[in-house]
Amino acid sequence: MGKILLVNGSPNEKGCCGTALEEIEKEFVKNDIETETLWLAKKPMQDCIACFQCQTKGCCVFNDQVNEIDNRIDEFDGFIFASPVYYGGPNGRLTSFMDRLFFSVPDDKWAGKLAASVVSCRRAGATEAFERLNQYYLMMNMITVGSQYWNNVHGFSSEDVKKDEEGLQTMRTLAKNMSWLLKSIEIGSKNGVVVPEYEEKVFTNFI
């Protein structure tokens, strides 16, 4: 039916982001959607150094979780990236991972796949972080999935997030929407509806 990769960018595996993703995962299970969770853990995540090896050799020069997912990109029909809010934006570990992953994977591998962002904050900064993450999908011909509210939960701890009834409901609705879209795409594909054929990209540089 489809498989979704849930990426937990928080340094705390079972923290606020993990709790939000668990709520999403439970709803996917109800809809017979397979999931896999990738926790980026606590190790430093190398950022992109613009060496362009990924464009010439097909893999990132730094052989870590980026290449692991790059090599398996065809397994996944959708992605959810979750981040805590640091100073009004997503954290550096996740954005470094996404910078390198989105640059190293060919554009046509992303096209038509589903994507969503989830952010967690104690109080404020959620919408700014949410908007920042969405930019990756909006330029890759991906289908960006929303919910009944911006995809965020509030709390300082996992226990706080479990009390955020609206936030958890928003997570469940997000999973429902992604499940519905995956099933719709599958039915469409079986009936001859395919991903659009795109023109060769034109790059206009402004000096």
Side-chain angles (χ1 to χ4, degrees):
M1 186 64 70
K3 185 175 183 178
I4 303 292
L5 179 66
L6 310 174
V7 180
N8 184 354
S10 171
N12 300 308
E13 184 177 13
K14 302 297 183 180
C16 299
C17 289
T19 301
L21 291 177
E22 286 176 2
E23 194 72 12
I24 290 170
E25 185 177 22
K26 286 187 288 187
E27 193 63 40
F28 277 137
V29 170
K30 293 179 183 178
N31 284 275
D32 297 318
I33 303 297
E34 185 180 357
T35 65
E36 180 178 331
T37 300
L38 172 68
W39 178 46
L40 299 185
K42 295 179 180 289
K43 294 181 180 180
M45 178 64 66
Q46 174 65 49
D47 60 352
C48 180
I49 60 171
C51 67
F52 290 89
Q53 175 175 293
C54 62
Q55 304 296 299
T56 58
K57 297 186 178 180
C59 64
C60 183
V61 66
F62 303 109
N63 191 25
D64 56 10
Q65 291 166 307
V66 170
N67 282 342
E68 291 175 18
I69 300 303
D70 187 332
N71 292 332
R72 300 176 56 207
I73 204 73
D74 291 334
E75 291 182 28
F76 305 107
D77 302 288
F79 304 83
I80 297 179
F81 296 91
S83 175
V85 173
Y86 288 177
Y87 296 95
N91 69 347
R93 176 181 289 101
L94 181 62
T95 53
S96 290
F97 173 82
M98 293 177 73
D99 282 348
R100 290 168 50 218
L101 181 65
F102 276 79
F103 194 57
S104 63
V105 173
D107 292 5
D108 62 343
K109 295 284 189 178
W110 294 113
K113 293 182 184 289
L114 307 185
S117 306
V118 168
V119 295
S120 168
C121 66
R122 183 189 67 83
R123 187 172 178 86
T127 53
E128 293 88 343
F130 181 62
E131 178 66 19
R132 168 69 176 84
L133 291 175
N134 288 340
Q135 301 311 312
Y136 291 93
Y137 330 133
L138 294 172
M139 62 186 296
M140 290 295 181
N141 291 308
M142 301 181 79
I143 302 168
T144 306
V145 185
S147 185
Q148 66 193 48
Y149 196 76
W150 295 303
N151 304 332
N152 67 271
V153 293
H154 282 84
F156 186 68
S157 66
S158 175
E159 289 70 27
D160 291 338
V161 171
K162 291 174 182 177
K163 298 174 186 176
D164 181 9
E165 295 182 8
E166 183 177 359
L168 293 178
Q169 187 180 65
T170 300
M171 298 301 108
R172 294 193 296 272
T173 301
L174 171 61
K176 290 178 191 289
N177 287 341
M178 292 193 84
S179 299
W180 169 64
L181 285 167
L182 279 176
K183 293 173 183 178
S184 298
I185 291 170
E186 182 179 41
I187 292 172
S189 179
K190 289 179 179 178
N191 286 274
V193 180
V194 296
V195 174
E197 184 175 332
Y198 300 110
E199 300 174 14
E200 185 176 348
K201 275 192 174 182
V202 175
F203 293 93
T204 303
N205 299 317
F206 294 93
I207 300 174

PDB file of all heavy atoms in Angstrom, residues 148-170:
ATOM      1  N   GLN A 148      -5.226  19.606   9.879  1.00  0.00           N
ATOM      2  CA  GLN A 148      -6.284  20.520  10.290  1.00  0.00           C
ATOM      3  C   GLN A 148      -5.706  21.799  10.906  1.00  0.00           C
ATOM      4  O   GLN A 148      -6.438  22.763  11.153  1.00  0.00           O
ATOM      5  CB  GLN A 148      -7.186  19.833  11.317  1.00  0.00           C
ATOM      6  CG  GLN A 148      -6.471  19.519  12.634  1.00  0.00           C
ATOM      7  CD  GLN A 148      -7.258  18.587  13.509  1.00  0.00           C
ATOM      8  OE1 GLN A 148      -7.743  17.554  13.043  1.00  0.00           O
ATOM      9  NE2 GLN A 148      -7.440  18.955  14.771  1.00  0.00           N
ATOM     10  N   TYR A 149      -4.418  21.802  11.168  1.00  0.00           N
ATOM     11  CA  TYR A 149      -3.694  22.945  11.706  1.00  0.00           C
ATOM     12  C   TYR A 149      -2.250  22.761  11.269  1.00  0.00           C
ATOM     13  O   TYR A 149      -1.901  21.747  10.678  1.00  0.00           O
ATOM     14  CB  TYR A 149      -3.818  22.975  13.243  1.00  0.00           C
ATOM     15  CG  TYR A 149      -3.447  24.298  13.880  1.00  0.00           C
ATOM     16  CD1 TYR A 149      -4.320  25.372  13.819  1.00  0.00           C
ATOM     17  CD2 TYR A 149      -2.222  24.457  14.523  1.00  0.00           C
ATOM     18  CE1 TYR A 149      -3.989  26.590  14.395  1.00  0.00           C
ATOM     19  CE2 TYR A 149      -1.885  25.672  15.103  1.00  0.00           C
ATOM     20  CZ  TYR A 149      -2.765  26.739  15.039  1.00  0.00           C
ATOM     21  OH  TYR A 149      -2.430  27.943  15.601  1.00  0.00           O
ATOM     22  N   TRP A 150      -1.411  23.764  11.511  1.00  0.00           N
ATOM     23  CA  TRP A 150       0.006  23.544  11.229  1.00  0.00           C
ATOM     24  C   TRP A 150       0.487  22.339  12.027  1.00  0.00           C
ATOM     25  O   TRP A 150       0.084  22.135  13.180  1.00  0.00           O
ATOM     26  CB  TRP A 150       0.819  24.788  11.590  1.00  0.00           C
ATOM     27  CG  TRP A 150       0.479  25.977  10.751  1.00  0.00           C
ATOM     28  CD1 TRP A 150       0.526  26.072   9.387  1.00  0.00           C
ATOM     29  CD2 TRP A 150       0.016  27.249  11.217  1.00  0.00           C
ATOM     30  NE1 TRP A 150       0.130  27.322   8.975  1.00  0.00           N
ATOM     31  CE2 TRP A 150      -0.186  28.066  10.084  1.00  0.00           C
ATOM     32  CE3 TRP A 150      -0.230  27.784  12.484  1.00  0.00           C
ATOM     33  CZ2 TRP A 150      -0.643  29.380  10.178  1.00  0.00           C
ATOM     34  CZ3 TRP A 150      -0.682  29.089  12.579  1.00  0.00           C
ATOM     35  CH2 TRP A 150      -0.887  29.871  11.435  1.00  0.00           C
ATOM     36  N   ASN A 151       1.378  21.555  11.421  1.00  0.00           N
ATOM     37  CA  ASN A 151       1.793  20.286  12.034  1.00  0.00           C
ATOM     38  C   ASN A 151       2.782  20.510  13.179  1.00  0.00           C
ATOM     39  O   ASN A 151       3.990  20.314  13.026  1.00  0.00           O
ATOM     40  CB  ASN A 151       2.440  19.378  10.975  1.00  0.00           C
ATOM     41  CG  ASN A 151       1.535  19.121   9.796  1.00  0.00           C
ATOM     42  OD1 ASN A 151       0.320  19.139   9.918  1.00  0.00           O
ATOM     43  ND2 ASN A 151       2.124  18.870   8.640  1.00  0.00           N
ATOM     44  N   ASN A 152       2.266  20.929  14.316  1.00  0.00           N
ATOM     45  CA  ASN A 152       3.153  21.127  15.456  1.00  0.00           C
ATOM     46  C   ASN A 152       2.497  20.668  16.754  1.00  0.00           C
ATOM     47  O   ASN A 152       1.271  20.602  16.866  1.00  0.00           O
ATOM     48  CB  ASN A 152       3.588  22.600  15.586  1.00  0.00           C
ATOM     49  CG  ASN A 152       2.451  23.533  15.945  1.00  0.00           C
ATOM     50  OD1 ASN A 152       1.767  24.051  15.076  1.00  0.00           O
ATOM     51  ND2 ASN A 152       2.237  23.759  17.234  1.00  0.00           N
ATOM     52  N   VAL A 153       3.357  20.317  17.685  1.00  0.00           N
ATOM     53  CA  VAL A 153       2.916  19.975  19.038  1.00  0.00           C
ATOM     54  C   VAL A 153       3.639  20.893  20.017  1.00  0.00           C
ATOM     55  O   VAL A 153       4.708  21.425  19.707  1.00  0.00           O
ATOM     56  CB  VAL A 153       3.215  18.500  19.389  1.00  0.00           C
ATOM     57  CG1 VAL A 153       2.367  17.560  18.538  1.00  0.00           C
ATOM     58  CG2 VAL A 153       4.694  18.180  19.222  1.00  0.00           C
ATOM     59  N   HIS A 154       3.036  21.067  21.178  1.00  0.00           N
ATOM     60  CA  HIS A 154       3.627  21.930  22.195  1.00  0.00           C
ATOM     61  C   HIS A 154       3.998  21.133  23.445  1.00  0.00           C
ATOM     62  O   HIS A 154       3.296  20.207  23.835  1.00  0.00           O
ATOM     63  CB  HIS A 154       2.658  23.048  22.585  1.00  0.00           C
ATOM     64  CG  HIS A 154       2.608  24.171  21.594  1.00  0.00           C
ATOM     65  ND1 HIS A 154       1.819  24.113  20.473  1.00  0.00           N
ATOM     66  CD2 HIS A 154       3.266  25.348  21.553  1.00  0.00           C
ATOM     67  CE1 HIS A 154       1.979  25.231  19.773  1.00  0.00           C
ATOM     68  NE2 HIS A 154       2.848  25.992  20.397  1.00  0.00           N
ATOM     69  N   GLY A 155       5.085  21.533  24.055  1.00  0.00           N
ATOM     70  CA  GLY A 155       5.486  20.915  25.313  1.00  0.00           C
ATOM     71  C   GLY A 155       6.985  20.975  25.517  1.00  0.00           C
ATOM     72  O   GLY A 155       7.755  21.114  24.546  1.00  0.00           O
ATOM     73  N   PHE A 156       7.391  20.858  26.745  1.00  0.00           N
ATOM     74  CA  PHE A 156       8.813  20.819  27.089  1.00  0.00           C
ATOM     75  C   PHE A 156       9.299  19.387  27.232  1.00  0.00           C
ATOM     76  O   PHE A 156      10.494  19.128  27.213  1.00  0.00           O
ATOM     77  CB  PHE A 156       9.051  21.592  28.396  1.00  0.00           C
ATOM     78  CG  PHE A 156      10.496  21.728  28.759  1.00  0.00           C
ATOM     79  CD1 PHE A 156      11.357  22.511  27.999  1.00  0.00           C
ATOM     80  CD2 PHE A 156      11.010  21.070  29.866  1.00  0.00           C
ATOM     81  CE1 PHE A 156      12.698  22.637  28.332  1.00  0.00           C
ATOM     82  CE2 PHE A 156      12.359  21.190  30.211  1.00  0.00           C
ATOM     83  CZ  PHE A 156      13.200  21.971  29.446  1.00  0.00           C
ATOM     84  N   SER A 157       8.362  18.463  27.343  1.00  0.00           N
ATOM     85  CA  SER A 157       8.711  17.051  27.515  1.00  0.00           C
ATOM     86  C   SER A 157       7.675  16.189  26.814  1.00  0.00           C
ATOM     87  O   SER A 157       6.602  16.671  26.396  1.00  0.00           O
ATOM     88  CB  SER A 157       8.748  16.690  29.006  1.00  0.00           C
ATOM     89  OG  SER A 157       7.442  16.789  29.565  1.00  0.00           O
ATOM     90  N   SER A 158       7.982  14.911  26.704  1.00  0.00           N
ATOM     91  CA  SER A 158       7.051  13.967  26.108  1.00  0.00           C
ATOM     92  C   SER A 158       5.726  13.963  26.856  1.00  0.00           C
ATOM     93  O   SER A 158       4.652  13.884  26.246  1.00  0.00           O
ATOM     94  CB  SER A 158       7.666  12.565  26.120  1.00  0.00           C
ATOM     95  OG  SER A 158       6.737  11.606  25.659  1.00  0.00           O
ATOM     96  N   GLU A 159       5.793  14.059  28.172  1.00  0.00           N
ATOM     97  CA  GLU A 159       4.581  14.063  28.984  1.00  0.00           C
ATOM     98  C   GLU A 159       3.719  15.280  28.670  1.00  0.00           C
ATOM     99  O   GLU A 159       2.481  15.198  28.655  1.00  0.00           O
ATOM    100  CB  GLU A 159       4.940  14.054  30.477  1.00  0.00           C
ATOM    101  CG  GLU A 159       5.512  12.739  30.990  1.00  0.00           C
ATOM    102  CD  GLU A 159       6.915  12.450  30.458  1.00  0.00           C
ATOM    103  OE1 GLU A 159       7.646  13.426  30.130  1.00  0.00           O
ATOM    104  OE2 GLU A 159       7.274  11.268  30.351  1.00  0.00           O
ATOM    105  N   ASP A 160       4.365  16.417  28.410  1.00  0.00           N
ATOM    106  CA  ASP A 160       3.607  17.618  28.037  1.00  0.00           C
ATOM    107  C   ASP A 160       2.889  17.416  26.710  1.00  0.00           C
ATOM    108  O   ASP A 160       1.725  17.792  26.549  1.00  0.00           O
ATOM    109  CB  ASP A 160       4.542  18.832  27.916  1.00  0.00           C
ATOM    110  CG  ASP A 160       5.106  19.283  29.245  1.00  0.00           C
ATOM    111  OD1 ASP A 160       4.505  18.969  30.296  1.00  0.00           O
ATOM    112  OD2 ASP A 160       6.156  19.953  29.241  1.00  0.00           O
ATOM    113  N   VAL A 161       3.591  16.840  25.746  1.00  0.00           N
ATOM    114  CA  VAL A 161       3.003  16.640  24.424  1.00  0.00           C
ATOM    115  C   VAL A 161       1.790  15.715  24.502  1.00  0.00           C
ATOM    116  O   VAL A 161       0.792  15.916  23.797  1.00  0.00           O
ATOM    117  CB  VAL A 161       4.054  16.077  23.442  1.00  0.00           C
ATOM    118  CG1 VAL A 161       3.404  15.648  22.121  1.00  0.00           C
ATOM    119  CG2 VAL A 161       5.139  17.106  23.180  1.00  0.00           C
ATOM    120  N   LYS A 162       1.843  14.733  25.371  1.00  0.00           N
ATOM    121  CA  LYS A 162       0.722  13.807  25.520  1.00  0.00           C
ATOM    122  C   LYS A 162      -0.521  14.513  26.051  1.00  0.00           C
ATOM    123  O   LYS A 162      -1.640  13.980  25.934  1.00  0.00           O
ATOM    124  CB  LYS A 162       1.118  12.658  26.442  1.00  0.00           C
ATOM    125  CG  LYS A 162       2.150  11.720  25.823  1.00  0.00           C
ATOM    126  CD  LYS A 162       2.635  10.668  26.799  1.00  0.00           C
ATOM    127  CE  LYS A 162       3.710   9.790  26.159  1.00  0.00           C
ATOM    128  NZ  LYS A 162       4.261   8.795  27.125  1.00  0.00           N
ATOM    129  N   LYS A 163      -0.338  15.692  26.636  1.00  0.00           N
ATOM    130  CA  LYS A 163      -1.472  16.493  27.120  1.00  0.00           C
ATOM    131  C   LYS A 163      -1.989  17.467  26.055  1.00  0.00           C
ATOM    132  O   LYS A 163      -3.030  18.095  26.251  1.00  0.00           O
ATOM    133  CB  LYS A 163      -1.053  17.280  28.362  1.00  0.00           C
ATOM    134  CG  LYS A 163      -0.629  16.414  29.539  1.00  0.00           C
ATOM    135  CD  LYS A 163      -0.096  17.278  30.676  1.00  0.00           C
ATOM    136  CE  LYS A 163       0.459  16.427  31.810  1.00  0.00           C
ATOM    137  NZ  LYS A 163       1.070  17.256  32.880  1.00  0.00           N
ATOM    138  N   ASP A 164      -1.242  17.619  24.985  1.00  0.00           N
ATOM    139  CA  ASP A 164      -1.620  18.535  23.915  1.00  0.00           C
ATOM    140  C   ASP A 164      -2.622  17.833  22.991  1.00  0.00           C
ATOM    141  O   ASP A 164      -2.257  17.291  21.948  1.00  0.00           O
ATOM    142  CB  ASP A 164      -0.383  18.981  23.132  1.00  0.00           C
ATOM    143  CG  ASP A 164      -0.695  19.963  22.006  1.00  0.00           C
ATOM    144  OD1 ASP A 164      -1.850  20.434  21.939  1.00  0.00           O
ATOM    145  OD2 ASP A 164       0.206  20.250  21.202  1.00  0.00           O
ATOM    146  N   GLU A 165      -3.882  17.845  23.374  1.00  0.00           N
ATOM    147  CA  GLU A 165      -4.897  17.090  22.651  1.00  0.00           C
ATOM    148  C   GLU A 165      -5.051  17.571  21.209  1.00  0.00           C
ATOM    149  O   GLU A 165      -5.209  16.765  20.288  1.00  0.00           O
ATOM    150  CB  GLU A 165      -6.237  17.183  23.392  1.00  0.00           C
ATOM    151  CG  GLU A 165      -6.223  16.517  24.760  1.00  0.00           C
ATOM    152  CD  GLU A 165      -7.568  16.578  25.448  1.00  0.00           C
ATOM    153  OE1 GLU A 165      -8.552  16.997  24.796  1.00  0.00           O
ATOM    154  OE2 GLU A 165      -7.653  16.202  26.631  1.00  0.00           O
ATOM    155  N   GLU A 166      -5.008  18.882  21.003  1.00  0.00           N
ATOM    156  CA  GLU A 166      -5.140  19.404  19.642  1.00  0.00           C
ATOM    157  C   GLU A 166      -3.934  19.020  18.795  1.00  0.00           C
ATOM    158  O   GLU A 166      -4.075  18.652  17.632  1.00  0.00           O
ATOM    159  CB  GLU A 166      -5.311  20.918  19.652  1.00  0.00           C
ATOM    160  CG  GLU A 166      -5.524  21.500  18.265  1.00  0.00           C
ATOM    161  CD  GLU A 166      -5.762  22.996  18.261  1.00  0.00           C
ATOM    162  OE1 GLU A 166      -5.787  23.602  19.350  1.00  0.00           O
ATOM    163  OE2 GLU A 166      -5.913  23.562  17.166  1.00  0.00           O
ATOM    164  N   GLY A 167      -2.746  19.109  19.386  1.00  0.00           N
ATOM    165  CA  GLY A 167      -1.537  18.753  18.657  1.00  0.00           C
ATOM    166  C   GLY A 167      -1.540  17.292  18.233  1.00  0.00           C
ATOM    167  O   GLY A 167      -1.213  16.966  17.083  1.00  0.00           O
ATOM    168  N   LEU A 168      -1.929  16.408  19.143  1.00  0.00           N
ATOM    169  CA  LEU A 168      -1.966  14.979  18.820  1.00  0.00           C
ATOM    170  C   LEU A 168      -3.036  14.675  17.776  1.00  0.00           C
ATOM    171  O   LEU A 168      -2.838  13.836  16.893  1.00  0.00           O
ATOM    172  CB  LEU A 168      -2.209  14.160  20.090  1.00  0.00           C
ATOM    173  CG  LEU A 168      -1.079  14.184  21.124  1.00  0.00           C
ATOM    174  CD1 LEU A 168      -1.473  13.377  22.353  1.00  0.00           C
ATOM    175  CD2 LEU A 168       0.220  13.647  20.532  1.00  0.00           C
ATOM    176  N   GLN A 169      -4.164  15.375  17.879  1.00  0.00           N
ATOM    177  CA  GLN A 169      -5.201  15.194  16.865  1.00  0.00           C
ATOM    178  C   GLN A 169      -4.707  15.660  15.498  1.00  0.00           C
ATOM    179  O   GLN A 169      -4.981  15.028  14.468  1.00  0.00           O
ATOM    180  CB  GLN A 169      -6.462  15.960  17.250  1.00  0.00           C
ATOM    181  CG  GLN A 169      -7.635  15.690  16.320  1.00  0.00           C
ATOM    182  CD  GLN A 169      -8.863  16.463  16.740  1.00  0.00           C
ATOM    183  OE1 GLN A 169      -8.883  17.688  16.706  1.00  0.00           O
ATOM    184  NE2 GLN A 169      -9.898  15.726  17.144  1.00  0.00           N
ATOM    185  N   THR A 170      -3.946  16.752  15.483  1.00  0.00           N
ATOM    186  CA  THR A 170      -3.356  17.243  14.235  1.00  0.00           C
ATOM    187  C   THR A 170      -2.428  16.202  13.627  1.00  0.00           C
ATOM    188  O   THR A 170      -2.398  16.011  12.406  1.00  0.00           O
ATOM    189  CB  THR A 170      -2.592  18.556  14.490  1.00  0.00           C
ATOM    190  OG1 THR A 170      -3.501  19.544  15.000  1.00  0.00           O
ATOM    191  CG2 THR A 170      -1.953  19.084  13.222  1.00  0.00           C
TER     192      THR A 170
END
